Amino acid sequence: MEQVFYNSTRGSIKNISSSQAIIKGIAEDGGLLVPEKFPYVKDMLVKMKKMDYKELAYFIMSRYLTDFEESELKACIKGAYGSKFDSQDVAPVKKVGETYFLELFHGPTLAFKDMALSILPYLLKTAVKKQNINKEVVILTATSGDTGKAALEGFSDVEGTSIIVFFPEDGVSEIQKRQMTAHKGKNTHVVGVLGNFDDTQNGVKEIFTDNEYSELLDKKGYMFSSANSINIGRLIPQVVYYFHAYLNILSEDEIAKDEKVNFVVPTGNFGNILAAYYAKEMGLPINKLICASNDNKVLYDFMGSGRYDRTRQFFTTISPSMDILISSNLERLLFEISGKDSEKIKELMALLKDKGVYDITSEMKEKLYDFYGGYAKEEETKNTIRKIFKTKGYLMDTHTAVAYNVYEKYLEETKDDTKTVIVSTASPYKFTSSVMTSIDEKYAQFSDFKLMDEMSKLSGLDIPQPIKDIETRPVIHKTTCPRDKMKDVVSDILNI
Ligand SMILES: *Cc1c(COP(=O)(O)O)cnc(C)c1O
């Protein structure tokens, strides 16, 4: 297989191997690591049609992680996508009316981040071994809810690692919070930050890019790595399910060979939809990538105007995993559409940091034609959940409903009859209160926990195993801290 090397979007790192890139997480200059080129596989779609999820995962990932041995990568895939998923298919595609739903929530935490976070620990462990590193890997991660638990699940009791998860204390659902604070595992730490997700994420980023602090850690026998969606080891596994969805529909003869489809992706940090863009660059027949936002519609504005402006009011919505004003992975797209111009990326990211606003060039903007941006207001999201449940019997979570609503707007505006896949990112059980009150206000008086039973009665869907007894699990992690004390908390935990 042809070797693929990795570079920083901001230019400081060139030609490192995939295992080095996974260990690094983020470049010293704050840039993100990107493959120097996209492996092209369009001619092999027919061959891929026969593969199951794990075989397909190997086929795609081996083209990016070219310094992994076949046996190493296959062991990672087997560990990740074996018994932890409640569906043989890992990511089933459901047809509802004329639309397809790619359900990415059949893993241990009922949300799409399991797709990548169940494999990242294996990739990281293997990468560390390959590079002969004798340090304890400390995973430091900021979460808007789902990443945290998924990362805890992935890294729990993995030898040679420990994990510290920061989450916005009042920015996650009751169930999400309990999932994290009740998590067992000797090497796990969970901390509530008194701020919003951007504060939390920026705090973690600052710790990562603090060189003095890294040196101190190094002396003490630790090294940081990130489980956040900026790690290339999370992005690449996500490319797989776009192929999987396409091949699934193709196998059912719903589309002809080479026929294009649209994907609608509920977007926050821009990781999931970026993986779809990578799939398109690899030759997957995709027409439009429809980027769906909630009231924090910074990406919708960007797609329309070419201006990214984070200086705006932040909204806490019923789709909290998309409540983000700085979509970190967008930097990787900017890098591609600028013609891999790291000087330009440095300039734009400096503007974002200092002024909160940047404008892309008109040449870059033209290259956004693959994308369509839309957003859903809170009431629209709720109405969509109710309408689709009442008319089609399909119960969506709030994030998926944002995507569906944006798709309806896209249809009305463009009349595009291309077959379309809605990327379904969470189980409705993960956001029971918002989902149930969307259907009927009377559920407002119930607790999240109680509502799980009500949802099961209403929908006929069993309560998923991982959250069945959640209410009775004791809270183990009780630490909270202000935004500017995050580093001190890390030092406390690591005893340095
Ligand atoms: C994280 C998340 C998203 C947003 O995905 P990004 O990769 O950050 O764009 C959407 N829905 C759910 C349920 C999520 O957990």
Side-chain angles (χ1 to χ4, degrees), residues 132-289:
N132 294 315
I133 295 170
N134 275 321
K135 295 230 181 321
E136 176 166 331
V137 181
V138 180
I139 303 298
L140 206 57
T141 190
T143 182
S144 56
D146 294 329
T147 311
K149 177 61 180 176
L152 290 167
E153 280 288 342
F155 283 95
S156 233
D157 299 324
V158 174
E159 245 177 78
T161 71
S162 56
I163 172 163
I164 307 173
V165 172
F166 289 102
F167 69 98
E169 174 73 10
D170 295 316
V172 301
S173 82
E174 214 175 331
I175 290 175
Q176 285 178 319
K177 192 164 172 177
R178 185 65 66 89
Q179 279 185 311
M180 293 190 280
T181 55
H183 187 88
K184 292 178 188 150
K186 283 198 286 294
N187 59 339
T188 62
H189 309 275
V190 179
V191 182
V193 176
L194 310 171
N196 65 30
F197 176 64
D198 283 325
D199 295 327
T200 310
Q201 176 159 262
N202 284 335
V204 166
K205 266 194 177 170
E206 270 167 35
I207 299 175
F208 267 120
T209 48
D210 182 336
N211 292 336
E212 244 173 70
Y213 197 55
S214 293
E215 276 168 33
L216 175 68
L217 275 153
D218 190 68
K219 276 199 205 106
K220 303 275 179 184
Y222 294 109
M223 65 175 290
F224 277 143
S225 191
S226 139
N228 264 31
S229 64
I230 48 180
N231 193 310
I232 194 75
R234 272 188 61 183
L235 189 59
I236 287 163
Q238 294 181 182
V239 178
V240 177
Y241 50 71
Y242 288 99
F243 280 88
H244 172 74
Y246 185 89
L247 295 166
N248 193 300
I249 299 169
L250 184 65
S251 299
E252 300 285 323
D253 291 324
E254 300 275 331
I255 48 172
K257 186 171 172 289
D258 295 339
E259 185 176 333
K260 290 185 176 180
V261 302
N262 298 322
F263 282 101
V264 193
V265 188
T267 306
N269 228 344
F270 210 76
N272 202 357
I273 195 165
L274 184 76
Y277 173 82
Y278 276 32
K280 188 170 158 76
E281 292 296 300
M282 292 173 78
L284 189 67
I286 295 177
N287 177 42
K288 284 285 175 200
L289 296 169

Side-chain angles (χ1 to χ4, degrees), residues 110-113 144-147 176 229 234 238 241 265-274 299 319-322 324 327 329 397-400 423-427 430-431:
L110 316 179
F112 101 95
K113 294 193 175 64
S144 56
D146 294 329
T147 311
Q176 285 178 319
S229 64
R234 272 188 61 183
Q238 294 181 182
Y241 50 71
V265 188
T267 306
N269 228 344
F270 210 76
N272 202 357
I273 195 165
L274 184 76
L299 286 167
S319 45
S321 303
M322 299 159 70
I324 286 171
S327 303
N329 265 299
D397 98 289
T398 46
H399 304 75
T400 310
V423 177
S424 184
T425 51
S427 158
K430 195 135 194 184
F431 301 94

